[in-house]
Amino acid sequence: MAELSERQVKEMDIDWYCLVKGAPTHIASMGGLIPAKFRDRVKLRRHQDLVAHLLPSAEIKLNMKLIDSITENGYEYLADQMISNAIEEANRHHPGLEYLKEHPLPIRLFASTFVEKARRGFRSFARREDANGNEYVLIAEPIKPVKNDLCELGLEKLKCKVRDEGKTIVF
C-alpha cells in the first residue's frame, strides 16, 4: 500500500471519501489529518476518478451562513475588475461556478468544489481552519439522497463524532 506521508497530508488539500452514519461523504482535508486507512494513494486516486465520472444531478443546499463567514476575508483581490474578469473568463465552463452563478465570485470560487461533490450525492465537508483538531464543517449537501451506484467506490466508515445536527464532524 503506497500511503501518503504525514508531511504530504499536512501540506496538501486532499479530497477523500468515506461513509458517515451511512451517508456518502466527501472531505476536503485542507492540510488536516487523514486517518491512516484513508491515505492509500491508489484508493484515493481511484475514488477521485470514479466520483469525477458520476453525473452531477442533485439539487443541493449550501451552508450559507458558514460560507459567508469563510469568504468574508481573503478575497479582496477580486475587487480588481481585471482580475475578477480574468478569473470569470478562465472558469466560464466550470460546472460548479456555473451552478452558483447567482452568487458573488468569492462564494463561487470557494464553494464550487463542494457543490460538485454534493451534486454527485455526497455530503461535502471542509476543515475548520480555526479549530484545534480535526473538525470539519458541512459546506454543501444534496437536498434529497442521490441514487448513484456507489458500490464500486467501496467506501469505508469513518469513526467520528457528529455534532450540530450533522453539520460538524470531528475525528
Side-chain angles (χ1 to χ4, degrees), residues 9 18 29 37 49-50 60 64 74 90 101 107 114 132 170:
V9 169
C18 60
S29 72
K37 74 177 185 177
D49 288 344
L50 288 169
I60 59 131
M64 284 309 300
K101 66 184 169 202
I107 290 171
F114 302 98
N132 287 333
V170 182

Side-chain angles (χ1 to χ4, degrees), residues 74-87 105-106 109:
Y75 292 88
E76 295 79 11
Y77 64 96
L78 294 174
D80 182 314
Q81 197 62 45
M82 194 164 96
I83 291 173
S84 62
N85 286 344
I87 290 171
L105 187 55
L109 288 173

Side-chain angles (χ1 to χ4, degrees), residues 18-158:
C18 60
L19 293 172
V20 173
K21 293 204 169 213
T25 302
H26 159 256
I27 299 176
S29 72
M30 300 172 81
L33 174 74
I34 299 174
K37 74 177 185 177
F38 297 100
R39 289 188 191 178
D40 181 285
R41 291 174 194 254
V42 174
K43 278 186 183 178
L44 281 168
R45 173 54 63 200
R46 185 172 168 271
H47 286 166
Q48 291 164 353
D49 288 344
L50 288 169
V51 170
H53 287 93
L54 293 173
L55 292 176
S57 59
E59 289 300 316
I60 59 131
K61 58 183 171 184
L62 298 168
N63 187 347
M64 284 309 300
K65 183 177 177 184
L66 178 66
I67 293 169
D68 285 338
S69 72
I70 290 171
T71 58
E72 192 172 70
N73 297 307
Y75 292 88
E76 295 79 11
Y77 64 96
L78 294 174
D80 182 314
Q81 197 62 45
M82 194 164 96
I83 291 173
S84 62
N85 286 344
I87 290 171
E88 291 273 8
E89 179 60 27
N91 292 288
R92 74 173 181 244
H93 298 297
H94 186 287
L97 288 171
E98 180 62 25
Y99 187 86
L100 296 169
K101 66 184 169 202
E102 302 302 320
H103 294 277
L105 187 55
I107 290 171
R108 292 167 57 208
L109 288 173
F110 172 77
S112 63
T113 298
F114 302 98
V115 163
E116 284 304 294
K117 304 308 187 238
R119 292 190 67 219
R120 287 167 168 80
F122 293 84
R123 299 186 80 231
S124 190
F125 289 80
R127 183 171 172 259
R128 275 195 51 173
E129 292 186 26
D130 60 347
N132 287 333
N134 283 296
E135 185 172 318
Y136 291 79
V137 289
L138 182 67
I139 304 298
E141 66 181 326
I143 292 172
K144 295 179 184 174
V146 175
K147 296 197 185 326
N148 278 330
D149 182 10
L150 300 177
C151 292
E152 217 179 321
L153 284 169
L155 297 176
E156 296 185 53
K157 293 179 185 175
L158 174 66

